[in-house]
């Protein structure tokens, strides 16, 4: 066997963000850049010799090259086996499932999620641990620390493997098994949802459109919706994964999934629409002429969980990220179960799911999931909705409106200011941090500040503390404004402003969201001086 120890020098910018290391492709293509990070992952793990690793990505540009490099490095470092998705493809939830099913030590997922792809687009590397979930901060911090001092990596000299051929081959002393990317995931979905009921509902005339945005869910969605559930050919739009996502931005929201939005808000809309993102962990749910906010979606799933076979015995608890609306908290209160508020980042749900404290989790950033894997899961959320619709036989809009009538409506919106100068964004956040200690009791228009802080989270399972997770300003009527800088962007800074107000009165549930939040939007600008400090008149994206 021809294993080389290759000398290298550290790159100082390899700090993992909200979800792994995300950089533009040319950054990853720098000499030894990927190798340094991968060796740093391996060096941060205990006892990996002889163990199994799962490897796959969302198929974006540089996926195949990166997989060949990582396979040879895994072989040189003494891993026993790598399970790799056919063609190098694994959606993030499918990778999480494979790690769990095969008792793997962990997995490397190659994705920059919803960020654009292509030679000038983004790429990313994320490590997931043996529970199938993203590595917690103590591991990502150790990886980062290692990247600062790394001086060598291990590489096997070997020919590239054929990633398209299913089966098992040797790579040095390691085994590589190329597995069907879809099969195990589709089996898992069938174990959770009533496929017969959904199939019958579709056969009876219920219509749907699913947009895979030329990203990883294409093969999964085609097999599940058009194959197993019998939906007509053409139900899955943009179903062929492309290395640059067809030039699009594979982010399932009202702005970037506009093709689907036009269909659902068109003259003859189908009953249901859904989109998923680059790596298949995000989802957007639409009804005919109706948008379901991710926060409401989580609340509706929690309230209706017992209609679905996989959750028929009830849910143990729910968890949401701090900026996500409190709609699901109201469901938890009614069900008399706990509701947890975590920092942004799916990694914070792992302990709660492992400990059985939470069954369903969700985030405002179009992520929903459960204890079936340890990632958010876009198609799972779509199937959950379809199962509820097949049982209740009401429209999406009627289900959500009934939900609001029962629990009240949490009006909610996120305003993103993308590509802001980093210094200006840091000044804005710094100013807010300086202010929060003295804000309690202050009045802005008709709102009075009830509390203001920089969110800090103590994990109830391992007591680890995560600080500076976003500025929260809560008002006495339950409304909130939250400010954070995104941890997933690759250019400049993205300021996220999250706005939420609660309305119990059903007669006032029909107001347009931006109008309902109008005064809060002005107050957010007044407090944070957004326009002045960012130099922007309006957000880049409103969801
Ligand atoms: C990732 C994380 C999510 C987070 C989202 C947005 O999602 O897994 O937990 O909510 O980023 O994070 P930020 O606000 O820091 O940009 P994904 O789908 O990009 O992996």
């Amino acid at each position: 066997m021809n294993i080389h120890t290759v000398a290298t020098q550290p790159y100082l910018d390899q700090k993992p963000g909200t979800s792994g290391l995300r950089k533009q492709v040319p950054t990853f293509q720098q000499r030894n850049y990927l190798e340094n990070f991968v060796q740093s992952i391996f060096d941060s793990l205990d006892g990996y010799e002889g163990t199994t690793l799962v490897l796959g990505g969302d198929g974006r540009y540089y996926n195949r090259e990166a997989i060949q490099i990582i396979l040879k490095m895994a072989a040189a470092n003494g891993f026993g086996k790598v399970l790799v998705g056919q063609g190098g493809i694994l959606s993030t939830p499918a990778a999480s499932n494979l790690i769990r099913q095969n008792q793997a030590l962990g997995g490397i997922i190659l994705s920059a999620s919803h960020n654009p792809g292509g030679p000038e687009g983004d790429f990313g590397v994320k490590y997931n641990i043996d529970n199938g979930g993203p590595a917690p901060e103590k591991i990502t911090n150790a990886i980062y620390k290692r990247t600062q001092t790394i001086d060598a990596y291990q590489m096997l000299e070997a020919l590239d493997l054929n990633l398209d051929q299913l089966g098992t081959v040797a790579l040095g002393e390691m085994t590589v098994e190329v597995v069907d990317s879809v099969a195990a995931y589709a089996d898992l979905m069938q174990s959770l949802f009533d496929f017969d009921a959904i199939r019958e509902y579709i056969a009876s005339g219920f219509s749907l459109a699913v947009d895979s945005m030329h990203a990883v869910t294409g093969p999964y969605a085609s097999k599940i919706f058009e194959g197993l559930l019998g939906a007509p050919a053409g139900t899955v739009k943009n179903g062929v994964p492309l290395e640059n996502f067809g030039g699009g931005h594979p982010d399932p929201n009202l702005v970037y999934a506009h093709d689907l939005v036009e269909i659902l808000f068109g003259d003859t809309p189908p009953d249901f629409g859904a989109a998923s993102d680059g790596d298949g962990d995000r989802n957007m749910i639409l009804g005919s002429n109706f948008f379901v906010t991710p926060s409401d979606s989580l609340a509706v799933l929690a309230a209706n969980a017992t209609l679905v076979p996989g959750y028929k015995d009830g849910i143990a608890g729910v968890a949401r990220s701090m900026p996500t609306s409190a709609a699901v908290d109201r469901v938890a209160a009614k069900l008399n179960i706990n509701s947890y508020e975590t920092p942004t980042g799916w990694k914070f749900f792992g302990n709660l799911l492992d400990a059985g404290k939470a069954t369903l989790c969700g985030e405002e950033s179009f992520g929903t999931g459960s204890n079936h894997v340890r990632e958010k899961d876009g198609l799972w959320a779509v199937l959950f909705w379809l199962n509820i619709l097949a049982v209740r036989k009401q429209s999406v809009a009627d289900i959500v409106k009934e939900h609001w009538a029962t629990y009240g409506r949490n009006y909610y919106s996120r305003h993103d200011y993308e590509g802001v100068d980093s210094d200006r964004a840091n000044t804005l956040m710094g100013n807010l941090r300086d202010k929060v200690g003295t804000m309690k009791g202050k009045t802005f228009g008709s709102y009075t500040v009830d509390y203001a802080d920089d969110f800090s989270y103590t994990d109830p399972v391992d007591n680890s503390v995560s600080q500076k997770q976003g500025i929260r300003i809560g008002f006495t009527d339950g409304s909130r404004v939250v400010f954070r800088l995104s941890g997933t962007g690759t250019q400049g800074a993205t300021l996220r402003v999250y706005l939420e107000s609660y309305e119990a009165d059903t007669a006032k549930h029909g107001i347009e969201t931006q109008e309902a939040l109008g005064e809060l939007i002005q107050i957010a600008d007044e407090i944070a001086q957004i326009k002045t400090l960012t130099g922007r008149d309006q957000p880049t994206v409103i969801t």
Side-chain angles (χ1 to χ4, degrees), residues 18-19 22 112-114 126 277 279 281-282 321 344-347 363-365 376 414 484-489 496 498:
T18 307
S19 185
R22 288 188 192 168
S113 188
H114 53 288
K126 184 169 85 152
D277 71 332
D279 61 331
D281 56 1
R282 295 186 178 203
S321 66
T344 294
W346 204 263
K347 59 189 172 221
E363 295 186 283
E364 50 66 39
S365 55
K376 55 190 185 278
R414 185 176 100 187
R484 273 184 73 243
L485 296 187
S486 161
T488 56
R496 302 206 196 283
Y498 310 83

PDB file of all heavy atoms in Angstrom, residues 18-19 22 112-114 126 277 279 281-282 321 344-347 363-365 376 414 484-489 496 498, ligand 1:
ATOM      1  N   THR A  18     -22.664  27.691  11.377  1.00  0.00           N
ATOM      2  CA  THR A  18     -23.886  27.080  11.896  1.00  0.00           C
ATOM      3  C   THR A  18     -23.953  25.611  11.499  1.00  0.00           C
ATOM      4  O   THR A  18     -24.426  24.771  12.250  1.00  0.00           O
ATOM      5  CB  THR A  18     -25.127  27.813  11.334  1.00  0.00           C
ATOM      6  OG1 THR A  18     -25.002  29.216  11.577  1.00  0.00           O
ATOM      7  CG2 THR A  18     -26.407  27.312  11.973  1.00  0.00           C
ATOM      8  N   SER A  19     -23.476  25.290  10.316  1.00  0.00           N
ATOM      9  CA  SER A  19     -23.602  23.921   9.819  1.00  0.00           C
ATOM     10  C   SER A  19     -22.375  23.553   8.981  1.00  0.00           C
ATOM     11  O   SER A  19     -22.429  23.508   7.768  1.00  0.00           O
ATOM     12  CB  SER A  19     -24.894  23.819   9.001  1.00  0.00           C
ATOM     13  OG  SER A  19     -25.109  22.504   8.591  1.00  0.00           O
ATOM     14  N   ARG A  22     -18.387  26.171   5.267  1.00  0.00           N
ATOM     15  CA  ARG A  22     -18.921  26.551   3.949  1.00  0.00           C
ATOM     16  C   ARG A  22     -18.070  27.671   3.379  1.00  0.00           C
ATOM     17  O   ARG A  22     -17.868  28.697   4.029  1.00  0.00           O
ATOM     18  CB  ARG A  22     -20.370  27.018   4.060  1.00  0.00           C
ATOM     19  CG  ARG A  22     -21.295  25.877   4.336  1.00  0.00           C
ATOM     20  CD  ARG A  22     -22.740  26.284   4.271  1.00  0.00           C
ATOM     21  NE  ARG A  22     -23.534  25.194   4.836  1.00  0.00           N
ATOM     22  CZ  ARG A  22     -24.810  25.275   5.148  1.00  0.00           C
ATOM     23  NH1 ARG A  22     -25.458  26.393   4.945  1.00  0.00           N
ATOM     24  NH2 ARG A  22     -25.446  24.239   5.651  1.00  0.00           N
ATOM     25  N   ALA A 112     -23.338  22.662   0.757  1.00  0.00           N
ATOM     26  CA  ALA A 112     -23.487  24.028   1.266  1.00  0.00           C
ATOM     27  C   ALA A 112     -24.970  24.343   1.279  1.00  0.00           C
ATOM     28  O   ALA A 112     -25.391  25.487   1.091  1.00  0.00           O
ATOM     29  CB  ALA A 112     -22.707  25.019   0.430  1.00  0.00           C
ATOM     30  N   SER A 113     -25.758  23.249   1.456  1.00  0.00           N
ATOM     31  CA  SER A 113     -27.193  23.357   1.664  1.00  0.00           C
ATOM     32  C   SER A 113     -27.904  24.182   0.599  1.00  0.00           C
ATOM     33  O   SER A 113     -27.860  23.854  -0.572  1.00  0.00           O
ATOM     34  CB  SER A 113     -27.440  23.935   3.064  1.00  0.00           C
ATOM     35  OG  SER A 113     -28.791  23.894   3.358  1.00  0.00           O
ATOM     36  N   HIS A 114     -28.495  25.284   1.009  1.00  0.00           N
ATOM     37  CA  HIS A 114     -29.311  26.097   0.119  1.00  0.00           C
ATOM     38  C   HIS A 114     -28.483  27.118  -0.653  1.00  0.00           C
ATOM     39  O   HIS A 114     -29.034  27.865  -1.452  1.00  0.00           O
ATOM     40  CB  HIS A 114     -30.351  26.836   0.956  1.00  0.00           C
ATOM     41  CG  HIS A 114     -29.714  27.593   2.082  1.00  0.00           C
ATOM     42  ND1 HIS A 114     -29.184  26.950   3.173  1.00  0.00           N
ATOM     43  CD2 HIS A 114     -29.477  28.901   2.257  1.00  0.00           C
ATOM     44  CE1 HIS A 114     -28.656  27.847   3.985  1.00  0.00           C
ATOM     45  NE2 HIS A 114     -28.817  29.044   3.454  1.00  0.00           N
ATOM     46  N   LYS A 126     -19.287  18.883   6.269  1.00  0.00           N
ATOM     47  CA  LYS A 126     -19.847  18.815   7.614  1.00  0.00           C
ATOM     48  C   LYS A 126     -19.590  17.437   8.191  1.00  0.00           C
ATOM     49  O   LYS A 126     -19.698  16.439   7.468  1.00  0.00           O
ATOM     50  CB  LYS A 126     -21.353  19.069   7.494  1.00  0.00           C
ATOM     51  CG  LYS A 126     -22.070  19.116   8.807  1.00  0.00           C
ATOM     52  CD  LYS A 126     -23.472  19.639   8.611  1.00  0.00           C
ATOM     53  CE  LYS A 126     -24.417  18.540   8.229  1.00  0.00           C
ATOM     54  NZ  LYS A 126     -25.799  18.800   8.645  1.00  0.00           N
ATOM     55  N   ASP A 277     -34.524  21.834  -0.452  1.00  0.00           N
ATOM     56  CA  ASP A 277     -33.328  22.618  -0.756  1.00  0.00           C
ATOM     57  C   ASP A 277     -32.203  21.769  -1.334  1.00  0.00           C
ATOM     58  O   ASP A 277     -32.398  20.596  -1.673  1.00  0.00           O
ATOM     59  CB  ASP A 277     -32.836  23.349   0.498  1.00  0.00           C
ATOM     60  CG  ASP A 277     -32.230  22.399   1.516  1.00  0.00           C
ATOM     61  OD1 ASP A 277     -32.648  21.218   1.530  1.00  0.00           O
ATOM     62  OD2 ASP A 277     -31.334  22.818   2.271  1.00  0.00           O
ATOM     63  N   ASP A 279     -29.576  20.157  -0.211  1.00  0.00           N
ATOM     64  CA  ASP A 279     -29.227  18.855   0.370  1.00  0.00           C
ATOM     65  C   ASP A 279     -30.414  18.122   0.970  1.00  0.00           C
ATOM     66  O   ASP A 279     -30.241  17.100   1.640  1.00  0.00           O
ATOM     67  CB  ASP A 279     -28.115  19.015   1.405  1.00  0.00           C
ATOM     68  CG  ASP A 279     -28.516  19.902   2.569  1.00  0.00           C
ATOM     69  OD1 ASP A 279     -29.361  20.798   2.361  1.00  0.00           O
ATOM     70  OD2 ASP A 279     -27.999  19.707   3.675  1.00  0.00           O
ATOM     71  N   ASP A 281     -32.680  18.853   3.309  1.00  0.00           N
ATOM     72  CA  ASP A 281     -33.138  18.891   4.704  1.00  0.00           C
ATOM     73  C   ASP A 281     -34.169  19.987   4.962  1.00  0.00           C
ATOM     74  O   ASP A 281     -34.856  19.960   5.973  1.00  0.00           O
ATOM     75  CB  ASP A 281     -31.958  18.975   5.690  1.00  0.00           C
ATOM     76  CG  ASP A 281     -31.038  20.154   5.431  1.00  0.00           C
ATOM     77  OD1 ASP A 281     -31.314  20.935   4.503  1.00  0.00           O
ATOM     78  OD2 ASP A 281     -30.033  20.273   6.160  1.00  0.00           O
ATOM     79  N   ARG A 282     -34.300  20.941   4.049  1.00  0.00           N
ATOM     80  CA  ARG A 282     -35.293  22.000   4.252  1.00  0.00           C
ATOM     81  C   ARG A 282     -36.563  21.726   3.458  1.00  0.00           C
ATOM     82  O   ARG A 282     -36.526  21.009   2.456  1.00  0.00           O
ATOM     83  CB  ARG A 282     -34.750  23.348   3.779  1.00  0.00           C
ATOM     84  CG  ARG A 282     -33.576  23.829   4.572  1.00  0.00           C
ATOM     85  CD  ARG A 282     -33.197  25.220   4.138  1.00  0.00           C
ATOM     86  NE  ARG A 282     -32.084  25.693   4.951  1.00  0.00           N
ATOM     87  CZ  ARG A 282     -31.795  26.968   5.136  1.00  0.00           C
ATOM     88  NH1 ARG A 282     -32.513  27.898   4.546  1.00  0.00           N
ATOM     89  NH2 ARG A 282     -30.773  27.320   5.891  1.00  0.00           N
ATOM     90  N   SER A 321     -35.784  26.363  17.485  1.00  0.00           N
ATOM     91  CA  SER A 321     -34.689  27.308  17.676  1.00  0.00           C
ATOM     92  C   SER A 321     -35.266  28.617  18.209  1.00  0.00           C
ATOM     93  O   SER A 321     -36.442  28.934  17.985  1.00  0.00           O
ATOM     94  CB  SER A 321     -33.937  27.546  16.372  1.00  0.00           C
ATOM     95  OG  SER A 321     -34.763  28.194  15.436  1.00  0.00           O
ATOM     96  N   THR A 344     -29.913  28.648  17.194  1.00  0.00           N
ATOM     97  CA  THR A 344     -30.026  28.254  15.790  1.00  0.00           C
ATOM     98  C   THR A 344     -28.962  27.212  15.451  1.00  0.00           C
ATOM     99  O   THR A 344     -27.799  27.373  15.812  1.00  0.00           O
ATOM    100  CB  THR A 344     -29.848  29.498  14.908  1.00  0.00           C
ATOM    101  OG1 THR A 344     -30.952  30.365  15.141  1.00  0.00           O
ATOM    102  CG2 THR A 344     -29.786  29.132  13.435  1.00  0.00           C
ATOM    103  N   GLY A 345     -29.361  26.181  14.733  1.00  0.00           N
ATOM    104  CA  GLY A 345     -28.421  25.104  14.362  1.00  0.00           C
ATOM    105  C   GLY A 345     -28.997  23.768  14.787  1.00  0.00           C
ATOM    106  O   GLY A 345     -29.337  23.574  15.959  1.00  0.00           O
ATOM    107  N   TRP A 346     -29.134  22.845  13.804  1.00  0.00           N
ATOM    108  CA  TRP A 346     -29.786  21.577  14.119  1.00  0.00           C
ATOM    109  C   TRP A 346     -29.002  20.792  15.168  1.00  0.00           C
ATOM    110  O   TRP A 346     -29.545  19.969  15.898  1.00  0.00           O
ATOM    111  CB  TRP A 346     -29.985  20.752  12.842  1.00  0.00           C
ATOM    112  CG  TRP A 346     -31.108  19.782  12.998  1.00  0.00           C
ATOM    113  CD1 TRP A 346     -31.020  18.465  13.324  1.00  0.00           C
ATOM    114  CD2 TRP A 346     -32.515  20.070  12.892  1.00  0.00           C
ATOM    115  NE1 TRP A 346     -32.288  17.916  13.421  1.00  0.00           N
ATOM    116  CE2 TRP A 346     -33.210  18.879  13.156  1.00  0.00           C
ATOM    117  CE3 TRP A 346     -33.241  21.230  12.597  1.00  0.00           C
ATOM    118  CZ2 TRP A 346     -34.604  18.805  13.139  1.00  0.00           C
ATOM    119  CZ3 TRP A 346     -34.628  21.150  12.577  1.00  0.00           C
ATOM    120  CH2 TRP A 346     -35.289  19.955  12.844  1.00  0.00           C
ATOM    121  N   LYS A 347     -27.694  21.054  15.252  1.00  0.00           N
ATOM    122  CA  LYS A 347     -26.872  20.305  16.204  1.00  0.00           C
ATOM    123  C   LYS A 347     -27.392  20.428  17.642  1.00  0.00           C
ATOM    124  O   LYS A 347     -27.164  19.538  18.454  1.00  0.00           O
ATOM    125  CB  LYS A 347     -25.418  20.771  16.123  1.00  0.00           C
ATOM    126  CG  LYS A 347     -25.209  22.237  16.414  1.00  0.00           C
ATOM    127  CD  LYS A 347     -23.774  22.661  16.108  1.00  0.00           C
ATOM    128  CE  LYS A 347     -23.623  24.166  16.225  1.00  0.00           C
ATOM    129  NZ  LYS A 347     -22.810  24.740  15.174  1.00  0.00           N
ATOM    130  N   GLU A 363     -37.379  24.704  12.877  1.00  0.00           N
ATOM    131  CA  GLU A 363     -36.750  26.014  12.831  1.00  0.00           C
ATOM    132  C   GLU A 363     -37.464  26.876  11.802  1.00  0.00           C
ATOM    133  O   GLU A 363     -37.978  26.366  10.801  1.00  0.00           O
ATOM    134  CB  GLU A 363     -35.288  25.891  12.406  1.00  0.00           C
ATOM    135  CG  GLU A 363     -34.431  25.144  13.398  1.00  0.00           C
ATOM    136  CD  GLU A 363     -32.980  25.201  12.961  1.00  0.00           C
ATOM    137  OE1 GLU A 363     -32.605  24.473  12.045  1.00  0.00           O
ATOM    138  OE2 GLU A 363     -32.247  26.009  13.520  1.00  0.00           O
ATOM    139  N   GLU A 364     -37.403  28.175  12.060  1.00  0.00           N
ATOM    140  CA  GLU A 364     -38.000  29.123  11.124  1.00  0.00           C
ATOM    141  C   GLU A 364     -37.351  29.069   9.749  1.00  0.00           C
ATOM    142  O   GLU A 364     -37.936  29.464   8.761  1.00  0.00           O
ATOM    143  CB  GLU A 364     -37.931  30.549  11.679  1.00  0.00           C
ATOM    144  CG  GLU A 364     -36.560  31.008  12.201  1.00  0.00           C
ATOM    145  CD  GLU A 364     -35.494  31.119  11.152  1.00  0.00           C
ATOM    146  OE1 GLU A 364     -35.810  31.572  10.046  1.00  0.00           O
ATOM    147  OE2 GLU A 364     -34.332  30.751  11.443  1.00  0.00           O
ATOM    148  N   SER A 365     -36.117  28.550   9.688  1.00  0.00           N
ATOM    149  CA  SER A 365     -35.356  28.528   8.438  1.00  0.00           C
ATOM    150  C   SER A 365     -35.773  27.334   7.565  1.00  0.00           C
ATOM    151  O   SER A 365     -34.935  26.712   6.931  1.00  0.00           O
ATOM    152  CB  SER A 365     -33.865  28.484   8.737  1.00  0.00           C
ATOM    153  OG  SER A 365     -33.555  27.391   9.579  1.00  0.00           O
ATOM    154  N   LYS A 376     -32.688  17.720  10.108  1.00  0.00           N
ATOM    155  CA  LYS A 376     -33.996  18.095   9.609  1.00  0.00           C
ATOM    156  C   LYS A 376     -34.219  17.372   8.295  1.00  0.00           C
ATOM    157  O   LYS A 376     -33.257  16.947   7.649  1.00  0.00           O
ATOM    158  CB  LYS A 376     -34.137  19.601   9.481  1.00  0.00           C
ATOM    159  CG  LYS A 376     -33.091  20.306   8.635  1.00  0.00           C
ATOM    160  CD  LYS A 376     -33.260  21.799   8.821  1.00  0.00           C
ATOM    161  CE  LYS A 376     -32.357  22.604   7.927  1.00  0.00           C
ATOM    162  NZ  LYS A 376     -30.997  22.744   8.473  1.00  0.00           N
ATOM    163  N   ARG A 414     -39.307  36.901   8.664  1.00  0.00           N
ATOM    164  CA  ARG A 414     -37.868  37.117   8.803  1.00  0.00           C
ATOM    165  C   ARG A 414     -37.411  38.040   7.686  1.00  0.00           C
ATOM    166  O   ARG A 414     -37.735  37.808   6.526  1.00  0.00           O
ATOM    167  CB  ARG A 414     -37.127  35.781   8.699  1.00  0.00           C
ATOM    168  CG  ARG A 414     -35.638  35.923   8.961  1.00  0.00           C
ATOM    169  CD  ARG A 414     -34.966  34.568   8.952  1.00  0.00           C
ATOM    170  NE  ARG A 414     -34.301  34.327   7.677  1.00  0.00           N
ATOM    171  CZ  ARG A 414     -33.738  33.179   7.328  1.00  0.00           C
ATOM    172  NH1 ARG A 414     -33.763  32.162   8.165  1.00  0.00           N
ATOM    173  NH2 ARG A 414     -33.149  33.042   6.163  1.00  0.00           N
ATOM    174  N   ARG A 484     -29.841  38.511  14.587  1.00  0.00           N
ATOM    175  CA  ARG A 484     -28.698  37.569  14.545  1.00  0.00           C
ATOM    176  C   ARG A 484     -27.910  37.819  13.271  1.00  0.00           C
ATOM    177  O   ARG A 484     -28.470  38.263  12.270  1.00  0.00           O
ATOM    178  CB  ARG A 484     -29.180  36.119  14.422  1.00  0.00           C
ATOM    179  CG  ARG A 484     -29.505  35.347  15.613  1.00  0.00           C
ATOM    180  CD  ARG A 484     -29.861  33.918  15.230  1.00  0.00           C
ATOM    181  NE  ARG A 484     -28.717  33.145  14.824  1.00  0.00           N
ATOM    182  CZ  ARG A 484     -28.538  32.619  13.623  1.00  0.00           C
ATOM    183  NH1 ARG A 484     -29.424  32.783  12.660  1.00  0.00           N
ATOM    184  NH2 ARG A 484     -27.463  31.922  13.367  1.00  0.00           N
ATOM    185  N   LEU A 485     -26.651  37.421  13.301  1.00  0.00           N
ATOM    186  CA  LEU A 485     -25.916  37.325  12.046  1.00  0.00           C
ATOM    187  C   LEU A 485     -25.915  35.862  11.635  1.00  0.00           C
ATOM    188  O   LEU A 485     -25.681  34.977  12.464  1.00  0.00           O
ATOM    189  CB  LEU A 485     -24.478  37.823  12.224  1.00  0.00           C
ATOM    190  CG  LEU A 485     -24.310  39.298  12.578  1.00  0.00           C
ATOM    191  CD1 LEU A 485     -22.836  39.673  12.561  1.00  0.00           C
ATOM    192  CD2 LEU A 485     -25.085  40.204  11.623  1.00  0.00           C
ATOM    193  N   SER A 486     -26.174  35.617  10.358  1.00  0.00           N
ATOM    194  CA  SER A 486     -26.187  34.243   9.859  1.00  0.00           C
ATOM    195  C   SER A 486     -24.819  33.600  10.025  1.00  0.00           C
ATOM    196  O   SER A 486     -23.791  34.252   9.896  1.00  0.00           O
ATOM    197  CB  SER A 486     -26.566  34.266   8.376  1.00  0.00           C
ATOM    198  OG  SER A 486     -26.172  33.062   7.758  1.00  0.00           O
ATOM    199  N   GLY A 487     -24.838  32.284  10.279  1.00  0.00           N
ATOM    200  CA  GLY A 487     -23.582  31.533  10.363  1.00  0.00           C
ATOM    201  C   GLY A 487     -23.395  30.615   9.178  1.00  0.00           C
ATOM    202  O   GLY A 487     -22.633  29.658   9.243  1.00  0.00           O
ATOM    203  N   THR A 488     -24.121  30.866   8.077  1.00  0.00           N
ATOM    204  CA  THR A 488     -24.018  29.979   6.920  1.00  0.00           C
ATOM    205  C   THR A 488     -23.624  30.688   5.630  1.00  0.00           C
ATOM    206  O   THR A 488     -23.423  30.037   4.617  1.00  0.00           O
ATOM    207  CB  THR A 488     -25.360  29.254   6.649  1.00  0.00           C
ATOM    208  OG1 THR A 488     -26.369  30.247   6.486  1.00  0.00           O
ATOM    209  CG2 THR A 488     -25.731  28.328   7.788  1.00  0.00           C
ATOM    210  N   GLY A 489     -23.523  31.989   5.664  1.00  0.00           N
ATOM    211  CA  GLY A 489     -23.192  32.718   4.436  1.00  0.00           C
ATOM    212  C   GLY A 489     -21.707  32.599   4.124  1.00  0.00           C
ATOM    213  O   GLY A 489     -20.914  32.167   4.960  1.00  0.00           O
ATOM    214  N   ARG A 496     -30.018  38.901  10.042  1.00  0.00           N
ATOM    215  CA  ARG A 496     -31.377  38.368  10.065  1.00  0.00           C
ATOM    216  C   ARG A 496     -32.146  39.083  11.171  1.00  0.00           C
ATOM    217  O   ARG A 496     -31.684  39.155  12.312  1.00  0.00           O
ATOM    218  CB  ARG A 496     -31.377  36.877  10.355  1.00  0.00           C
ATOM    219  CG  ARG A 496     -30.576  36.046   9.353  1.00  0.00           C
ATOM    220  CD  ARG A 496     -31.125  34.627   9.314  1.00  0.00           C
ATOM    221  NE  ARG A 496     -30.241  33.661   8.688  1.00  0.00           N
ATOM    222  CZ  ARG A 496     -30.058  33.532   7.368  1.00  0.00           C
ATOM    223  NH1 ARG A 496     -30.682  34.347   6.536  1.00  0.00           N
ATOM    224  NH2 ARG A 496     -29.262  32.590   6.884  1.00  0.00           N
ATOM    225  N   TYR A 498     -35.832  38.880  12.939  1.00  0.00           N
ATOM    226  CA  TYR A 498     -36.989  37.997  13.082  1.00  0.00           C
ATOM    227  C   TYR A 498     -38.069  38.772  13.840  1.00  0.00           C
ATOM    228  O   TYR A 498     -37.801  39.334  14.908  1.00  0.00           O
ATOM    229  CB  TYR A 498     -36.625  36.762  13.884  1.00  0.00           C
ATOM    230  CG  TYR A 498     -35.375  36.027  13.430  1.00  0.00           C
ATOM    231  CD1 TYR A 498     -34.116  36.438  13.833  1.00  0.00           C
ATOM    232  CD2 TYR A 498     -35.452  34.888  12.632  1.00  0.00           C
ATOM    233  CE1 TYR A 498     -32.968  35.756  13.460  1.00  0.00           C
ATOM    234  CE2 TYR A 498     -34.306  34.188  12.249  1.00  0.00           C
ATOM    235  CZ  TYR A 498     -33.076  34.627  12.669  1.00  0.00           C
ATOM    236  OH  TYR A 498     -31.937  33.951  12.312  1.00  0.00           O
TER     237      TYR A 498
HETATM  238  C1  LIG B   1     -28.422  25.490   8.731  1.00  0.00           C
HETATM  239  C2  LIG B   1     -28.639  24.917  10.088  1.00  0.00           C
HETATM  240  C3  LIG B   1     -29.958  25.378  10.639  1.00  0.00           C
HETATM  241  C4  LIG B   1     -30.052  26.886  10.615  1.00  0.00           C
HETATM  242  C5  LIG B   1     -29.787  27.383   9.208  1.00  0.00           C
HETATM  243  C6  LIG B   1     -29.693  28.891   9.139  1.00  0.00           C
HETATM  244  O1  LIG B   1     -29.342  24.957   7.842  1.00  0.00           O
HETATM  245  O2  LIG B   1     -28.605  23.528  10.080  1.00  0.00           O
HETATM  246  O3  LIG B   1     -30.080  24.894  11.929  1.00  0.00           O
HETATM  247  O4  LIG B   1     -31.302  27.306  11.042  1.00  0.00           O
HETATM  248  O5  LIG B   1     -28.561  26.889   8.750  1.00  0.00           O
HETATM  249  O6  LIG B   1     -28.608  29.299   9.901  1.00  0.00           O
HETATM  250  P1  LIG B   1     -28.099  30.775   9.838  1.00  0.00           P
HETATM  251  O7  LIG B   1     -29.271  31.614  10.281  1.00  0.00           O
HETATM  252  O8  LIG B   1     -26.943  30.818  10.802  1.00  0.00           O
HETATM  253  O9  LIG B   1     -27.734  31.107   8.413  1.00  0.00           O
HETATM  254  P2  LIG B   1     -28.887  24.399   6.435  1.00  0.00           P
HETATM  255  O10 LIG B   1     -30.144  23.958   5.778  1.00  0.00           O
HETATM  256  O11 LIG B   1     -28.222  25.563   5.777  1.00  0.00           O
HETATM  257  O12 LIG B   1     -27.936  23.295   6.762  1.00  0.00           O
END
